[in-house]
Amino acid sequence: TMGPAQQLTNDPAFSGSASIAATRDGVVHVAWVDTRTASQQIWTKRFVPGSGWTPDELLVFSTAAAAQPSLTSDYEGHLHLVWRDSRDGDNEIYYKEYRPGTGWDAADTRLTVNAATQSEPNVDADPQSNVYVVWTDQRNGAANPDIFYKERKGAAWQAEVALVSSASDTTNSVQQFPAIAHDGQATTYVAWTDHRLPASSGKNREVFYKVGTGFVTGVETESAPPLARLLRNYPNPFNPATKIVFRLERDAQATLRVFDVHGRLVRTLVDSYLAAGPRTVEWDGRDDRGHPLASGTYYMRLQGGGTYVSRAVSLLK
Ligand SMILES: [Ca+2]
Ligand SMILES: [Ca+2]
Ligand SMILES: [Ca+2]
């Protein structure tokens, strides 16, 4: 069920074209277009559990106009925003990132450099904070827009790729409004509006779809060294409890779980966004339901940022 409608903005100018994304910690981000400072700019606010909505904040200041925001979140709690921006004289696609604890990038990243119009961007990201962007591109003619794609592999933006252009759209018709999704297994999915079929056939605008493989996944970002360099416990063997010590090299969404020798998850000790640094967690030798576990070997596994470390631990009764 859905709750009642809540008003998020309240100024006399246009406020709209919102995009929304949420992270695993319950934080909700909204980005929208607002003309309260005259030209179209992108504003943002976020809902933080326990403290409510933050004030409206100017997120993108373009010297011309910024519009068509598309926002997504990833497993690490990062936000990825793309939009259409005319600050460079014609429309281009721009990008910026939000990192928990750091906030939004101070600088905007220009993704396209082309004299024609690039517009209608849509963004997706995978658990390693790789980023996938599609947009409508008029470089082959204003009456013949196509769908283009670009990815950020780790920290590096790759060359753009034409997903639909004259090679596959031999009628040189209109493709627009692309949307992209990614399954975390190097496969991307793109859907868009396509005018290639003749109206005379009773079909004009139809939805087309494309599956791409070989796109990035599993690439660690430059800011992502191995998450944990240390995982040990004492005493070991133990009864009835043991202290597990580890150290995170950076802020990250992390899980610390205990598995039995058959690989069954028996206890989740940590599943949250943690600050970098050392940490000690006590395990009382019980499962998630509070039942004492039998003597034997168990495996603790610390996971986050696309990496993990494991160590065996012995419960002796
Ligand atoms: Ca308004
Ligand atoms: Ca352009
Ligand atoms: Ca086209």
Side-chain angles (χ1 to χ4, degrees), residues 163-175:
L163 290 188
V164 181
S165 64
S166 55
S168 55
D169 168 32
T170 53
T171 61
N172 294 325
S173 59
V174 174
Q175 286 79 36

Side-chain angles (χ1 to χ4, degrees), residues 109-170:
T109 301
R110 183 179 176 176
L111 295 188
T112 58
V113 181
N114 182 273
T117 289
Q118 283 72 39
S119 65
E120 299 162 0
N122 191 260
V123 66
D124 189 31
D126 70 17
Q128 285 76 38
S129 297
N130 298 309
V131 182
Y132 307 83
V133 182
V134 283
W135 66 90
T136 305
D137 199 303
Q138 296 185 7
R139 72 185 61 190
N140 296 320
N144 177 25
D146 298 317
I147 307 299
F148 275 63
Y149 168 85
K150 193 179 185 90
E151 68 188 25
R152 191 185 71 180
K153 200 179 203 169
W157 286 99
Q158 309 296 301
E160 62 204 10
V161 176
L163 290 188
V164 181
S165 64
S166 55
S168 55
D169 168 32
T170 53

Side-chain angles (χ1 to χ4, degrees), residues 9-15 34:
T9 58
N10 187 29
D11 69 85
F14 172 87
S15 312
D34 206 297

Side-chain angles (χ1 to χ4, degrees), residues 192-206:
W192 66 93
T193 305
D194 199 305
H195 303 210
R196 74 180 67 188
L197 297 174
S200 60
S201 70
K203 300 166 178 166
N204 40 38
R205 293 173 193 178
E206 304 295 344

Side-chain angles (χ1 to χ4, degrees), residues 29-31 43-46 57-60 70-72 78-83 95-108:
H29 296 251
V30 174
W43 289 66
T44 190
K45 68 195 308 177
R46 61 185 173 277
E57 176 190 351
L58 179 61
L59 177 56
V60 174
S70 170
L71 190 62
T72 196
H78 293 217
L79 274 287
H80 306 273
L81 174 73
V82 291
W83 70 95
Y95 167 84
K96 74 195 304 174
E97 180 173 9
Y98 175 92
R99 294 176 181 83
T102 305
W104 286 98
D105 290 344
D108 303 335

Side-chain angles (χ1 to χ4, degrees), residues 43-55:
W43 289 66
T44 190
K45 68 195 308 177
R46 61 185 173 277
F47 177 83
V48 180
S51 60
W53 285 96
T54 60

